[in-house]
Amino acid sequence: HKIKKTIRNCRYAYNNDGLVQGLILNNTFKANNKWFITFDDPDIEGIMEAKEHIEDKCKEWDLDKRMSEWLIKEQRDGKHFTQKVIKDGTIQLNELAYDGENYDFEIIHDPRTGETLGYKQKYYVDKDYKSWKNKDFDTLNSQTKEYEEANYLPDEIIYGTLFEEDGKGMSLIMPILDDIYDKWSYEKYKLSVAHKTGNLAVMTVGSKEVYTENVPETFVDKALLQLKDRDKKDAVIIPYGTSIETLGGNYNLPDLNTYINKTLSNIYIQLQTPQTLFASDSSNRSTIQVQTDEETGFGVYLEYMRDTLKNTIENELFDVELELNGFEEAMGHIHLTFVSIKQNREV
């Protein structure tokens, strides 16, 4: 059956499938790894002070953790919405809830130019949330809730995506929801088959010496009783004239590994990760090097994620913060610089 393509189901798959979550976290932490603040023109007046100001703000924004959170959301949900609040002459950041259902956004575009005019948010809120201090803990989530809306101008929102189609962020997980749920079904069925092949017994009534009609039904009943919970017994006694064998591998069973491997291949491909990095039956070393090369393989995707972060942060955070604090000359010259993937590997 087809799985409904929703953000909620993408998050459920991410939270409940170790492979999916592991691949996304691996992408995230390899991309967002070892960075520092630099400037490109030492002759600009006040450039060192500007750099130090941005370094302090990065700590205040908890930028390293925030960038990882953005990358996870962009891969899992397809997008994230972060509010920029100007308070006391500096930027404060607020992550806005989004699930495509109870918490949703509509991006308003100029139909003639495609320019973003603003964002309209729908969110679900407790009608009496302001009086939360006077409520018991157990009643907090049982209050009457209602929808409210909020409007934001373009410069008030950081709208982050890795991939877009027709102006809408694309989740990496959504196209493989069916594969993920199929994998769960196959794995569950495989465990069931393994249990049955090891524990399901076949009892033969009668032998060359004993005709079937000469075996009393009471003997058969006793044999079945002996077989009950036999995995907890060291030995069983069965009536003469009957024989027992385990189902084992003497019977035709479905080749589930073929189906599981197909779903695994689809998941690795969609999540932009070479299967050779993690699969136990991975290819030789030269294949791994080609698939992970920073110019032709996995490294290209990591660089793409880094470039997306760099452009967003420098244009929508650094330059705005510098202008607010009198460092106009430094705008466009303070950079978020990542250690190269090759250097990270060597370290």
Side-chain angles (χ1 to χ4, degrees):
H1 64 283
K2 296 294 183 180
I3 303 301
K4 190 175 181 181
K5 304 302 189 288
T6 63
I7 300 299
R8 181 175 298 179
N9 282 339
C10 289
R11 292 178 180 178
Y12 185 86
Y14 173 83
N15 290 328
N16 290 276
D17 190 276
L19 175 64
V20 171
Q21 185 175 111
L23 294 180
I24 287 181
L25 290 178
N26 178 70
N27 295 346
T28 298
F29 295 136
K30 283 186 175 177
N32 182 28
N33 183 25
K34 296 180 182 178
W35 54 269
F36 48 95
I37 305 302
T38 61
F39 55 84
D40 58 25
D41 188 348
D43 296 329
I44 295 176
E45 184 178 356
I47 193 71
M48 281 300 300
E49 290 81 358
K51 173 179 176 290
E52 291 171 357
H53 178 76
I54 291 299
E55 288 175 335
D56 290 340
K57 291 300 299 184
C58 287
K59 295 176 183 177
E60 181 183 318
W61 293 326
D62 198 2
L63 191 60
D64 191 60
K65 181 179 179 181
R66 195 178 296 273
M67 287 194 298
S68 292
E69 181 180 347
W70 287 355
L71 287 177
I72 291 171
K73 288 180 177 179
E74 289 169 10
Q75 293 175 91
R76 183 193 65 198
D77 305 339
K79 64 192 76 172
H80 74 85
F81 298 87
T82 303
Q83 181 186 18
K84 290 188 293 186
V85 179
I86 311 299
K87 186 175 181 180
D88 299 327
T90 188
I91 297 176
Q92 295 182 0
L93 299 176
N94 178 32
E95 300 299 328
L96 299 178
Y98 167 73
D99 64 7
E101 297 178 31
N102 291 328
Y103 302 87
D104 202 1
F105 276 85
E106 188 68 33
I107 305 175
I108 312 302
H109 297 284
D110 186 321
R112 298 165 298 174
T113 64
E115 178 186 2
T116 299
L117 301 177
Y119 301 85
K120 183 174 285 289
Q121 181 193 27
K122 176 186 75 173
Y123 57 97
Y124 210 38
V125 65
D126 183 348
K127 290 175 60 176
D128 303 318
Y129 69 92
K130 293 183 179 179
S131 60
W132 64 272
K133 291 183 179 180
N134 300 321
K135 297 177 182 178
D136 295 331
F137 182 88
D138 292 334
T139 63
L140 284 176
N141 292 324
S142 62
Q143 303 300 311
T144 302
K145 296 186 178 182
E146 62 183 8
Y147 286 110
E148 292 189 3
E149 294 184 352
N151 299 315
Y152 303 94
L153 295 175
D155 60 359
E156 296 178 307
I157 292 291
I158 297 176
Y159 170 56
T161 65
L162 282 175
F163 305 100
E164 284 188 327
E165 184 175 1
D166 297 328
K168 296 183 179 180
M170 297 170 56
S171 161
L172 289 183
I173 293 181
M174 197 169 288
I176 51 171
L177 280 175
D178 291 327
D179 290 293
I180 295 169
Y181 281 78
D182 285 345
K183 180 173 77 74
W184 292 350
S185 298
Y186 295 146
E187 289 172 342
K188 184 178 180 180
Y189 185 54
K190 186 176 180 180
L191 290 175
S192 175
V193 169
H195 174 76
K196 288 181 178 180
T197 56
N199 292 283
L200 189 62
V202 177
M203 182 172 69
T204 303
V205 180
S207 64
K208 291 181 180 180
E209 294 80 17
V210 180
Y211 292 107
T212 302
E213 58 267 20
N214 293 333
V215 180
E217 289 187 11
T218 55
F219 277 22
V220 176
D221 293 339
K222 288 181 180 179
L224 292 175
L225 184 62
Q226 288 291 324
L227 291 176
K228 184 178 181 181
D229 298 327
R230 73 184 190 284
D231 57 315
K232 300 177 182 178
K233 300 175 181 178
D234 294 323
V236 296
I237 300 173
I238 60 174
Y240 180 71
T242 61
S243 62
I244 303 294
E245 63 176 326
T246 302
L247 182 61
N250 298 324
Y251 295 82
N252 292 325
L253 297 171
D255 182 13
L256 293 174
N257 286 335
T258 299
Y259 301 107
I260 292 175
N261 289 338
K262 176 60 177 176
T263 62
L264 289 177
S265 178
N266 291 341
I267 291 170
Y268 275 105
I269 291 171
Q270 179 62 21
L271 297 184
Q272 307 297 308
T273 306
Q275 194 165 352
T276 52
L277 282 178
F278 299 100
S280 59
D281 58 346
S282 58
S283 304
N284 59 47
R285 185 172 182 82
S286 61
T287 301
I288 296 175
Q289 289 176 339
V290 170
Q291 292 184 348
T292 60
D293 185 81
E294 62 181 304
E295 295 183 358
T296 60
F298 181 50
V300 175
Y301 178 54
L302 299 183
E303 290 290 355
Y304 174 74
M305 287 194 288
R306 287 180 166 190
D307 288 343
T308 301
L309 283 175
K310 178 180 175 68
N311 291 335
T312 298
I313 289 168
E314 290 181 3
N315 294 326
E316 302 201 42
L317 282 180
F318 288 2
D319 283 353
V320 177
E321 180 66 26
L322 290 170
E323 184 176 23
L324 287 170
N325 288 271
F327 296 109
E328 289 89 349
E329 293 296 320
M331 292 172 61
H333 298 283
I334 302 294
H335 304 292
L336 177 72
T337 303
F338 290 96
V339 175
S340 74
I341 296 170
K342 184 175 181 180
Q343 286 177 301
N344 267 337
R345 193 181 299 124
E346 291 173 350
V347 173

